[in-house]
Amino acid sequence: QVQLVESGGGSVQSGGSLRLSCEVSGNTFNNFCLNWFRQTPGKEREGVASLGLDGKQGYGDFVKDRFTISKENSKNTLYLEMNSLQPEDTGMYYCTAYAGICFVDVNRAKDMRPYWGQGTQVTVSS
C-alpha cells in the first residue's frame, strides 16, 4: 500500500512563501506521476501542479509562475515551493501519485485514480 504524507503547511501573510513536502512510501516513487491539488473554500478541488516521469511540469492557470514543483528521488519526496502567496491561496493542499500516463494538465490526473495524501493546511492572511 502506497502512503503519502504531506507537511510544510502553515499560516503566512500575503506575499509570503511556503514549501510543502510530500513523502511517498514504497519503492516505486521513481515510476510515479506526481501532482499537487488543493481545496479552497467554496470551490471544487483543483489541480495545482504536475510533474511527469520526464521532468515535464504543468501548472494551473492561477499559479502564474509563483509555484514550482520538484522532487528528490533519493528521499522519495515531492515538493511544492510557493511564493507570492495570496489570501485566495488559502486551502488544503494534497499530493497525489500514480503509475500510468502523466499529464501536463494536472486536472486530468484525477481520472487516473491516484493515491492521495491526507492534506496540509495553508492559510494566507491579508
Side-chain angles (χ1 to χ4, degrees):
Q1 180 73 10
V2 176
Q3 292 186 324
L4 290 76
V5 180
E6 300 98 333
S7 61
S11 297
V12 296
Q13 291 190 326
S14 180
S17 299
L18 283 172
R19 187 194 198 200
L20 306 184
S21 299
C22 172
E23 188 169 349
V24 182
S25 68
N27 58 3
T28 55
F29 181 78
N30 292 357
N31 297 327
F32 279 147
C33 304
L34 301 166
N35 305 273
W36 287 96
F37 285 83
R38 73 180 188 181
Q39 181 86 56
T40 56
K43 297 181 70 175
E44 293 186 359
R45 193 170 292 186
E46 61 184 346
V48 178
S50 65
L51 181 61
L53 298 177
D54 57 359
K56 191 171 292 186
Q57 302 170 21
Y59 295 94
D61 292 340
F62 59 86
V63 171
K64 297 179 180 178
D65 298 325
R66 299 180 297 135
F67 300 173
T68 302
I69 188 172
S70 63
K71 68 176 180 177
E72 192 166 354
N73 287 336
S74 63
K75 295 184 177 180
N76 278 20
T77 302
L78 174 70
Y79 302 102
L80 183 68
E81 185 76 36
M82 303 189 295
N83 299 310
S84 300
L85 285 163
Q86 300 300 315
E88 53 266 34
D89 294 315
T90 293
M92 189 71 80
Y93 284 70
Y94 303 88
C95 61
T96 76
Y98 67 91
I101 300 173
C102 301
F103 299 104
V104 173
D105 180 353
V106 57
N107 286 300
R108 296 189 64 182
K110 287 187 287 186
D111 298 331
M112 303 301 290
R113 303 181 67 181
Y115 296 101
W116 289 79
Q118 83 291 345
T120 185
Q121 178 68 34
V122 172
T123 302
V124 185
S125 58
S126 58

